[in-house]
Amino acid sequence: MKARFLTPLAAGLLLAGFSTAHAASLTIDCGATANDVQNCLPYAEEWAKKTGNTVKAYTAPTSSTDKLALLRQQFAAKATEIDVLSIDVVWPGVIKDHLVDLGKYSKGAESKYFPAMVNNNVVGGKLLAMPWFTDAGLLFYRKDLLDKYKIATPQTWDELAAAAKKVMDGEKSAELQGFVFQAKAYEGLTCDAIEWVYSAGGGTIIDKQGNITINNPKAAKALDTAASWIGTIAPGGVLNYGEEDARGVFQNGHAVFMRNWPYAWNLAQDKDSVIKGKVGVAALPSGGSSKAAALGGWQLAVNKYSKNVDAAADLVMYLASAEVQKKRAINGSYNPTMPELYKDADVLKANPFMGQLLEVFTSAVARPATETGLKYPQVSNAFWDAAHDVLEKKSTGTDAVKKLEAKLKTIKRDKW
């Protein structure tokens, strides 16, 4: 009789009391883009093969705003369709009542992650999600064009605008834009706009004590500065751009600068990319006070209404492991949530900027989700609407932050 050897993972599952004999069929939300699925589903299937279970991918809305709205509808109906959820860094406090406490499944593994990222996912003493990958806004630029015109990497937003204009004037191409970013009225604009405001010394909308701070001259000026880019160095169409829209323009060689998340690096280096080998990455410019990058990133959580909670939790722990995070960093430019991987030679070879910009990732500016809890979606919606009005030239920065302050007071009422 041929001996049967268990994989370390399968053996660990059996020791933990999880039997592979009771196969589970799980549905996982890997993310919204093709890159997300390509760098998630194969590892989920790898886990399924080792444990005797099956997995399939759920197709989520591309907009994080739409995704959260749909999730809340599904939770209200106690839907069991999705077992493993990928959730935005600002969601744990918003959907806390519908997630499984992973504390009993992690067995202390959370000590290997950046403490701030773990703390973000602990609500009411419960570990509601595992940090999967972290994000921070970055500046992508055409290093070939900057070299051609002898332009240094911009350190301020004004320098970026001047550099973009110089290259556009020199290239004399109707298709070449100076700067593309996320300016559609959605969560992505909240991220971009908080970078502009914070880097100008205008704060973070709401401070750590829960005070509304957005109505100040520096915040107003930051929004006016961003509005000045529309129609000069940025196309009018940017007002409807999300991450993938901006990446599409940049990767097709039609923009000098782009604000986006780190995932864009790997795709820009694809063999079919027209800008392969021509891209540089840097910290976002300063608005006069400091450099600022919005803290992003996604977590893995288990739907409380899943029919296979134990299996789903085990899949989460597998996908969030150092082994899988390393593969995702190398193959998809996903920033690990474990300090040790930022010293890994293979990771740094694939993503040189990760080591250079570690400080950007670990000291990024958080959106005021912790302070506002369940009301964060309303706060963010009000902020991106105000920013969008300024970008569209429907309002000045001064008027927008004044009106936004009044709206936020209404949302807050007695407390967040």
Side-chain angles (χ1 to χ4, degrees), residues 65 114 187 295:
T65 304
F114 286 111
E187 187 68 25
L295 175 65

Side-chain angles (χ1 to χ4, degrees), residues 205-213 368-376 378-380 404-405 407-416:
I205 312 170
I206 292 159
D207 67 17
K208 295 294 183 183
Q209 290 70 47
N211 302 308
I212 299 167
T213 60
T370 301
E371 294 78 13
T372 56
L374 291 171
K375 293 184 179 180
Y376 174 74
Q378 293 173 269
V379 170
S380 184
L404 177 57
E405 179 185 43
K407 189 165 187 176
L408 293 177
K409 285 181 177 178
T410 300
I411 293 171
K412 181 180 181 180
R413 293 199 179 103
D414 297 328
K415 63 178 181 178
W416 291 117

Side-chain angles (χ1 to χ4, degrees), residues 10-22:
L13 288 173
L14 288 174
L15 288 172
F18 181 84
S19 173
T20 56
H22 301 289

